[in-house]
Amino acid sequence: MSTPVVSIAYHSGYGHTAVIAEAVRSGAVEAGAEVHLIKVDEITEEQWALLDASDAIVFGSPTYMGTASGAFHVFAEATSKRWATSAWRDKLAAGFTNSASKSGDKLHTLQFFQILAAQLGMHWVNLGLLPGWNSSAASENDLNRLGVFAGAAAQTNADEGPEAVHKADVATAEHLGRRVAETTKVFGAGRASLAAQVH
């Protein structure tokens, strides 16, 4: 089958979320996808066209005041043109976020992404990992150390820069990228098989 195309549409306020976006990209590339990183606060018409041509779109934003950033919300509202024409119907979607607190209401940001994807007719890909760091034998270096299922969640101290993004959170985001790419391959193979049966 053809190479799956995955685009990562994200906003990063101070660089921490960009580290996670790059990790998602790395995982998806490792799994054989063509990947495009798109900063939603600088998006061009050419990049909108890339999103339209993608098989999967991964949404990413820091969590500010319990939801995605203002810049991401501007992008989300602009997708209404795609909503009106069902342009992204049946694409795959996934998401990631970062905040300074262990919880920080990150789940609300991921649920915002899920609802956005649902309104656009997309299919959500979850993280697919058991929680880590939840027993006496566990470690903060476990994958999914924050125990989030809807997407990849990261925590970075408010007084530290992007270089301080936790390595376990980076690895978790890489896992999400691989999972999105692999799931996209499965969907693509299924569509190809159905098309062959019709003909």
Side-chain angles (χ1 to χ4, degrees), residues 21-123:
E22 178 58 37
V24 174
R25 185 204 67 80
S26 178
V29 167
E30 181 185 315
E34 172 189 330
V35 186
H36 304 282
L37 280 173
I38 297 172
K39 296 179 180 180
V40 299
D41 53 329
E42 302 173 3
I43 193 166
T44 64
E45 284 305 315
E46 290 76 16
Q47 289 173 323
W48 278 111
L50 277 177
L51 292 174
D52 293 341
S54 297
D55 300 302
I57 302 173
V58 185
F59 301 127
S61 168
T63 294
Y64 293 154
M65 303 306 291
T67 189
S69 66
F72 192 92
H73 274 268
V74 169
F75 162 77
E77 289 183 21
T79 66
S80 62
K81 292 179 181 177
R82 272 67 190 171
W83 171 83
T85 60
S86 298
W88 292 0
R89 177 179 293 277
D90 292 332
K91 293 184 187 297
L92 299 187
F96 60 91
T97 188
N98 175 82
S99 73
S101 299
K102 295 292 189 291
S103 168
D105 292 316
K106 285 187 272 281
L107 179 59
H108 186 264
T109 298
L110 293 171
Q111 289 172 331
F112 168 70
F113 293 157
Q114 287 178 316
I115 292 169
L116 174 64
Q119 290 196 344
L120 290 161
M122 304 170 79
H123 302 292

